[in-house]
Amino acid sequence: MKAAIVVFPGSNRERDAVAALEAVSGTKPHLVWHRDTELPKVDLIVVPGGFSYGDYLRSGAMAAHSPIMREVKARADQGVRVLGICNGFQIITEAGLLPGALMRNGGLKFICRVQHLRVENTDSPFTAKYAKGQVVRYPIAHGDGNYWTDAETVKRLDGEGQVAFRYIADEARADPRGNPNGSVTDIAGIFNAKRTVLGLMPHPEDAVEALHGNTDGKPMFEGLVEALS
Amino acid sequence: MSAEATKAQERPVTVELAKEFGLSAEEYQNALDILGRTPTFTEMGIISVMWSEHCSYKSSKVWLKTLPTTGPQVICGPGENAGVVDIGDGDAVIFKMESHNHPSYIEPFQGAATGVGGILRDVFTMGARPIANMNALRFGSPDHSKTRHLVSGVVAGIAHYGNCVGVPTVGGETNFHPAFNGNILVNAMTVGVAKTDRIFYSAAAGIGNPVVYVGSKTGRDGIHGATMASAEFTEDSEEKRPTVQVGDPFTEKLLIEACLELMETDAIVAIQDMGAAGLTSSSVEMAGKGGLGIELTLDTLPMREEAMTPYEIMLSESQERMLIILKPGREEVAKAIFDKWELDFAVIGHLTDTGNLVIKMYGETWCDMPIAPVSNAAPEYNRPWEPTPKASDVADSVFDGYSEELGDMLTKLFGCPDLASKRWIWEQYDSLVGGDTRFMSGQADAAVVRVPGQTKAVAITTDCTPRYCLADPVEGGKQAVAEAWRNLSAVGALPLAITDNMNFGNPEKPRIMGQFVGAVQGIGEACKALDFPVVSGNVSLYNETNGEAILPTPAIGGVGIMPDAMIAVGIAFKNEGDVILAVGETKGHIGQSIFLREILGREEGAPPPVDLAVERRNGDFVRGLIHEGLVVSSHDAADGGLIVTIAEMALAGGIGAYLTGFDGQHVRVLFGEDQGRYVLAVRPDVAATVQEKAKAAGVPVTVLGETRGTSLSGRGGEIVSLTRLREANEGWLPTYMAAEL
């Protein structure tokens, strides 16, 4: 699997994504600077976390209009898989690859913690290695993760299997807290209609090795490598 | 703007102006003598910040010189932007802790944010990629009307800046005490890593070499910030809000990347950030260290505001700016990198052989004075000081008539502001970015961050117990260093070196100066005994409001190393049936303890004495056990004593403890804060081995019980459930902050 990671001024989790992809695929991903207008031929494009353009104006809003995003959209239209994590989710949503919007967390504070999620749909290379309904733990680290869309769209997303992950509260676990940011129907991540594009707030790339305390994010990258190699 | 308009804004230079700028009459006379004439207005401004307490360390220098600063591991000690320590394999760790107290009290969000920005620049200016931030915060009483607002603003400011630049904030400490009501402490620490052969220093070299300005534009913010930081607060401190700078972490992130990219070329001769006293201190220090002169022409300097005067430009503390001396002809290479990162870049002068600082603008010269005589003449005082009278130990009679249930006492302690969980704070910090963080906050005695791309890891801690320092500055200073050393040892790291952030009141008062002197003596003693030298630091004096001084707070930032991040052990109990051991001797020292303050309502007595030889023996023993893989959980026994330490380990792991080791013991033994102690949990099959090893090493080890169930219990049944302790512990801060209006 060949992968490219798009880097904007202010991106800061691109190194985490590089490490996760390299560890699982054995191949170093390309880093593509936001001013570039061409992408190398790749199977996966990652838009990483961070504070592109300092989150000024609105999270992801300025990066969505960066030259490279035209190329990312064109590739996505051709079926190249796109993974937007955290700020990357905000950027690809602002760019129109996914419906809805990400607003300030309900509690108005940045939150960093390990969060329980339920895998809602496994019919994609991103989630194929999980079981439907499986509970996984990914870290979250965001201030603007409050996903919103209208009720009709939520219904459509659910009906078409486009909800990838939901935050869950799990009383049986050490930290039982659920939805951290007020997102509509606890949505943590969604697919596009073809399930070739995934945007999510939590960080699977920071849960891939023993040092991270859990490796629940690793199957996402393994699934991608298996499907795209 | 023109030369005429500038002159129209200037004021006559007199002794009154000098005083307004924070100098004494004698210091002003000294300036006249050095120059042989009256300084210009711009020169007066420059001299006043160079000679401010903040920049000149005039009250503290004579004592700081006594601290041990060398060792085989030390590559660069105090005097540069940060300390540099060898961690093997051609790698170095670069770190420093710095205060931003006064600005954070006036404007908590921006004050704390720019504190983080400033310390980051001190570290990456030396060639290091920052890998971790820490912070040590002291607030006033929770009952004080301003405290909630200050906690909220400071934490949000640190989060805003650290999260955006993408450096994980991996730990710290937060205390509350009425002595900080009018003067909070915000101490921020950054740790970075670099290659030992790619470290950048600030001494300028090469006559004619270009002087380059990069980063944000200069505005009128922070003018005379260094002067503000060198005076006491009064009721009108609010009026000083305009002297607080405004931070832009996005620009800082670009600046980090651009500088590190430039550092991969061979274009740089010297580099320094513009921190306190901005362009003045950076240009004067760089030229001064190189024994050269520097000539700046400010017309091309990137400015954010219209019609700035040379005085304003030289004293501005606008953030996210760096000064670089380039090799000749490398301007284009450097400019291309800063263009890529969309940052300002301007050649604003060159080095000269005159030894003078020359400032030109609008076709005229505004400053032309010799650097060395002015720098060297910076005042240095050996201020009068009084030793703090020794307190006597607390008599057993304080316990008379006291018979609260142990479970109730523990619940009370776990919900008191100093021991309550600080989750509300650290969950606002991105502690994981980079993917190299081993523990979430609160899960280990020291943060453990893997060196990017390697297996080895750096351990980091910040420590100080201000109530000990007030009661006995010498023992308190010793204790702060010993606790940092102990916290690093408790995770399995080999302690390497410290940075000290000395926060004290007005040094012109002999009692306060005595606290400073005592703390330096104690720190020095501990550093020597533990081979734990001081490699960088910062002094913040005049932490007083309306004559009320803070508790003396010599905050210590300690750094250690371990060959593999996965060796590290945290505090959490992991299995049922592990044997709980106390390492070190418990006499039950109750003076200045949390128990005495929170349960008996008394702040008195001598702090626990630190036996540095015992400290070292016990720490080496624990670290050795961890490296042999014999330890499951490890926690230093500090605030609250053994029983609190065990309860913290139980809460962190969600596994309780069945305790037998306290049967028949005085309450002193449970809550005493004797130093040099650890609580370990080990698998039952190695407990005997550990005890044999302890005997061989001459280390006292006692069995306290075993991990079991979901409560603390003993032969008499349940003492307290973890659920009840957790509610008290996790509940206090969120409830307190939720009352914010």
Side-chain angles (χ1 to χ4, degrees):
Chain A
M1 179 185 72
K2 286 191 187 129
I5 299 174
V6 184
V7 183
F8 298 95
S11 295
N12 66 27
R13 259 186 168 83
E14 73 275 14
R15 286 181 297 134
D16 307 42
V18 168
L21 284 167
E22 200 178 351
V24 175
S25 72
T27 316
K28 226 182 171 72
H30 300 274
L31 287 176
V32 181
W33 183 236
H34 74 117
R35 272 198 211 153
D36 293 345
T37 47
E38 275 182 44
L39 278 166
K41 193 173 155 19
V42 292
D43 310 299
L44 172 72
I45 300 165
V46 177
V47 186
F51 286 72
S52 58
Y53 298 94
D55 273 359
Y56 295 138
L57 185 61
R58 194 171 64 239
S59 303
M62 285 162 74
H65 294 282
S66 207
I68 195 67
M69 284 308 293
R70 276 194 293 276
E71 185 66 9
V72 172
K73 277 193 265 189
R75 293 290 180 92
D77 288 344
Q78 293 161 21
V80 172
R81 304 304 196 281
V82 177
L83 172 60
I85 307 170
C86 199
N87 190 224
F89 184 17
Q90 295 158 350
I91 294 167
I92 63 174
T93 303
E94 286 281 344
L97 287 174
L98 295 170
L102 289 140
M103 308 187 298
R104 192 91 186 114
N105 288 352
L108 303 180
K109 289 182 174 60
F110 188 98
I111 304 172
C112 175
R113 71 184 197 212
V114 177
Q115 176 65 48
H116 292 111
L117 309 168
R118 187 174 58 227
V119 182
E120 299 286 71
N121 182 296
T122 56
D123 187 14
S124 84
F126 303 96
T127 51
K129 288 287 205 179
Y130 297 103
K132 188 171 161 58
Q134 184 180 341
V135 175
V136 297
R137 296 165 74 224
Y138 293 171
I140 56 167
H142 60 250
D144 297 331
N146 182 358
Y147 180 76
W148 188 86
T149 190
D150 57 76
E152 200 174 313
T153 309
V154 172
K155 207 172 153 191
R156 179 167 54 82
L157 290 174
D158 268 320
E160 302 291 320
Q162 284 180 250
V163 176
F165 298 94
R166 278 198 161 89
Y167 304 110
I168 61 152
D170 190 340
E171 290 301 330
R173 302 182 188 249
D175 186 345
R177 291 174 294 174
N179 190 338
N181 53 36
S183 70
V184 63
T185 69
D186 304 328
I187 285 174
I190 55 168
F191 296 115
N192 64 349
K194 290 185 287 181
R195 287 193 289 278
T196 53
V197 175
L198 169 65
L200 79 170
M201 289 312 298
H203 290 281
E205 78 278 27
D206 284 332
V208 297
E209 56 167 319
L211 180 112
H212 297 150
N214 87 80
T215 54
D216 287 359
K218 205 173 175 187
M220 180 180 290
F221 299 100
E222 289 170 341
L224 286 163
V225 169
E226 203 171 290
L228 304 176
S229 295
Chain B
M1 198 70 175
S2 64
E4 286 66 37
T6 297
K7 282 175 195 159
Q9 286 187 21
E10 295 188 340
R11 292 160 53 197
V13 175
T14 61
V15 67
E16 284 73 32
L17 182 78
K19 281 183 179 168
E20 206 179 299
F21 282 2
L23 295 184
S24 68
E26 296 74 42
E27 288 167 352
Y28 176 64
Q29 186 56 48
N30 196 12
L32 296 184
D33 294 346
I34 289 168
L35 296 186
R37 61 176 167 81
T38 303
T40 66
F41 181 74
T42 304
E43 288 169 343
M44 193 69 251
I46 290 171
I47 292 171
S48 71
V49 292
M50 284 173 69
W51 290 1
S52 69
E53 183 70 57
H54 193 79
C55 295
S56 74
Y57 292 80
K58 57 190 168 194
S59 303
S60 57
K61 211 189 290 173
V62 60
W63 293 103
L64 295 176
K65 283 177 191 160
T66 66
L67 290 170
T69 59
T70 55
Q73 72 275 40
V74 178
I75 293 174
C76 174
E80 275 291 335
N81 287 296
V84 185
V85 175
D86 197 334
I87 53 170
D89 316 312
D91 298 313
V93 62
I94 301 185
F95 63 95
K96 186 179 177 183
M97 178 154 50
E98 197 165 72
S99 61
H100 228 216
N101 305 335
H102 290 78
S104 299
Y105 184 76
I106 297 173
E107 166 50 51
F109 184 92
Q110 289 297 344
T114 53
V116 174
I119 194 62
L120 279 164
R121 283 193 296 285
D122 276 337
V123 167
F124 75 76
T125 193
M126 297 196 73
R129 176 171 285 283
I131 62 164
N133 282 333
M134 302 275 284
N135 54 77
L137 312 177
R138 323 277 165 189
F139 295 105
S141 162
D143 302 329
H144 189 264
S145 61
K146 269 198 160 179
T147 300
R148 199 175 272 114
H149 157 74
L150 291 169
V151 173
S152 173
V154 164
V155 172
I158 291 172
H160 166 71
Y161 211 101
N163 296 348
C164 184
V165 295
V167 176
T169 301
V170 294
E173 53 177 346
T174 306
N175 296 151
F176 296 85
H177 193 281
F180 300 105
N181 280 350
N183 197 127
I184 61 170
L185 301 184
V186 174
N187 297 170
M189 176 173 176
T190 295
V191 179
V193 288
K195 287 286 165 195
T196 50
D197 58 355
R198 303 295 291 165
I199 292 165
F200 292 82
Y201 296 98
S202 57
I207 292 156
N209 277 350
V211 178
V212 170
Y213 170 113
V214 298
S216 284
K217 292 176 169 48
T218 296
R220 290 193 171 90
D221 49 334
I223 291 174
H224 267 304
T227 311
M228 172 185 77
S230 307
E232 279 186 42
F233 270 178
T234 53
E235 295 294 351
D236 63 358
S237 59
E238 291 287 331
E239 288 169 19
K240 292 182 174 159
R241 197 182 296 265
T243 59
V244 178
Q245 314 85 340
V246 177
D248 176 4
F250 174 58
T251 300
E252 179 103 336
K253 168 68 175 163
L254 304 184
L255 198 55
I256 293 174
E257 299 304 333
C259 287
L260 292 179
E261 196 170 320
L262 179 62
M263 285 163 172
E264 283 172 20
T265 72
D266 64 347
I268 298 175
V269 175
I271 177 167
Q272 175 154 344
D273 74 302
M274 295 189 218
L279 185 55
T280 292
S281 64
S282 52
S283 57
V284 165
E285 282 175 26
M286 292 178 88
K289 279 180 186 167
L292 296 174
I294 188 167
E295 183 176 316
L296 305 177
T297 304
L298 302 181
D299 301 86
T300 57
L301 183 139
M303 278 172 270
R304 200 170 62 215
E305 294 175 61
E306 295 285 315
M308 290 189 71
T309 66
Y311 163 82
E312 290 170 331
I313 292 169
M314 292 306 292
L315 267 71
S316 163
E317 290 189 6
S318 288
Q319 300 290 291
E320 294 93 25
R321 303 178 302 159
M322 314 283 281
L323 200 64
I324 306 174
I325 312 293
L326 289 178
K327 289 182 184 164
R330 307 311 298 267
E331 292 93 328
E332 286 312 309
V333 177
K335 187 171 184 308
I337 291 171
F338 286 88
D339 282 350
K340 173 188 163 187
W341 292 98
E342 300 176 31
L343 292 166
D344 275 306
F345 176 100
V347 178
I348 59 165
H350 60 274
L351 299 176
T352 68
D353 60 359
T354 64
N356 279 21
L357 171 67
V358 178
I359 311 286
K360 293 183 173 171
M361 196 178 190
Y362 307 130
E364 290 199 22
T365 299
W366 304 91
C367 165
D368 186 354
M369 61 181 183
I371 292 171
V374 175
S375 295
N376 298 342
E380 190 173 322
Y381 299 125
N382 191 348
R383 295 197 186 276
W385 59 279
E386 289 165 7
T388 303
K390 292 271 179 194
S392 52
D393 209 353
V394 175
D396 267 336
S397 58
V398 296
F399 299 103
D400 287 354
Y402 196 80
S403 64
E404 200 170 339
E405 287 290 329
L406 182 55
D408 294 340
M409 292 195 286
L410 278 171
T411 306
K412 201 184 274 183
L413 287 176
F414 269 74
C416 84
D418 276 358
L419 292 186
S421 165
K422 304 302 183 298
R423 181 185 299 276
W424 186 93
I425 293 174
W426 50 256
E427 281 193 347
Q428 295 188 51
Y429 304 147
D430 186 345
S431 56
L432 303 173
V433 59
D436 289 311
T437 306
R438 172 70 206 277
F439 297 107
M440 295 291 278
S441 298
Q443 288 288 318
D445 280 348
V448 175
V449 181
R450 185 173 54 187
V451 175
Q454 303 192 28
T455 34
K456 69 172 177 267
V458 173
I460 315 159
T461 180
T462 66
D463 293 287
C464 182
T465 313
R467 62 181 190 276
Y468 293 174
C469 298
L470 181 71
D472 185 337
V474 180
E475 284 302 318
K478 255 198 249 177
Q479 194 274 342
V481 175
E483 188 170 358
W485 192 88
R486 198 183 313 140
N487 279 328
L488 297 173
S489 300
V491 298
L494 179 68
L496 290 173
I498 65 166
T499 178
D500 58 350
N501 195 156
M502 311 290 285
N503 308 274
F504 291 81
N506 182 347
E508 295 163 39
K509 298 176 182 167
R511 184 177 62 84
I512 302 291
M513 195 62 208
Q515 294 174 344
F516 180 83
V517 171
V520 171
Q521 286 171 347
I523 289 170
E525 235 178 276
C527 289
K528 272 188 207 99
L530 299 170
D531 287 324
F532 201 30
V534 181
V535 295
S536 60
N538 165 249
V539 179
S540 172
L541 301 174
Y542 296 96
N543 288 292
E544 299 203 3
T545 298
N546 297 328
E548 288 292 316
I550 59 161
L551 300 185
T553 309
I556 301 298
V559 172
I561 184 78
M562 55 203 316
D564 183 341
M566 296 310 292
I567 290 174
V569 292
I571 68 170
F573 287 151
K574 289 264 171 77
N575 322 290
E576 296 240 358
D578 283 354
V579 178
I580 303 170
L581 301 171
V583 174
E585 192 184 4
T586 300
K587 288 179 179 160
H589 186 99
I590 213 76
Q592 296 300 335
S593 66
I594 289 263
F595 175 85
L596 193 63
R597 188 181 76 195
E598 298 294 329
I599 304 294
L600 300 181
R602 307 166 80 120
E603 294 184 63
E604 61 188 50
V610 180
D611 183 328
L612 294 163
V614 166
E615 190 70 56
R616 185 165 186 147
R617 182 196 68 195
N618 294 359
D620 288 346
F621 173 70
V622 168
R623 191 183 320 107
L625 292 181
I626 293 171
H627 281 247
E628 287 178 70
L630 295 171
V631 179
V632 179
S633 332
S634 162
H635 193 5
D636 91 304
D639 277 356
L642 285 177
I643 187 83
V644 166
T645 305
I646 293 167
E648 284 173 346
M649 298 171 84
L651 274 188
I655 297 172
Y658 179 75
L659 301 170
T660 50
F662 296 117
D663 292 357
Q665 300 278 10
H666 193 271
V667 70
R668 278 179 180 275
V669 173
L670 278 73
F671 294 102
E673 296 182 2
D674 308 66
Q675 297 295 297
R677 297 179 305 162
Y678 303 75
V679 174
L680 307 179
V682 302
R683 297 299 294 152
D685 58 338
V686 304
T689 312
V690 168
Q691 282 171 295
E692 278 159 31
K693 283 176 183 285
K695 206 168 180 186
V699 174
V701 166
T702 47
V703 176
L704 296 177
E706 65 170 49
T707 55
R708 182 191 296 182
T710 55
S711 62
L712 296 191
S713 60
R715 290 200 175 95
E718 180 177 286
I719 299 165
V720 63
S721 72
L722 295 190
T723 306
R724 186 173 164 213
L725 277 186
R726 182 171 287 115
E727 275 168 14
N729 192 235
E730 295 289 351
W732 181 75
L733 190 52
T735 307
Y736 174 69
M737 294 308 297
E740 185 178 18
L741 290 174

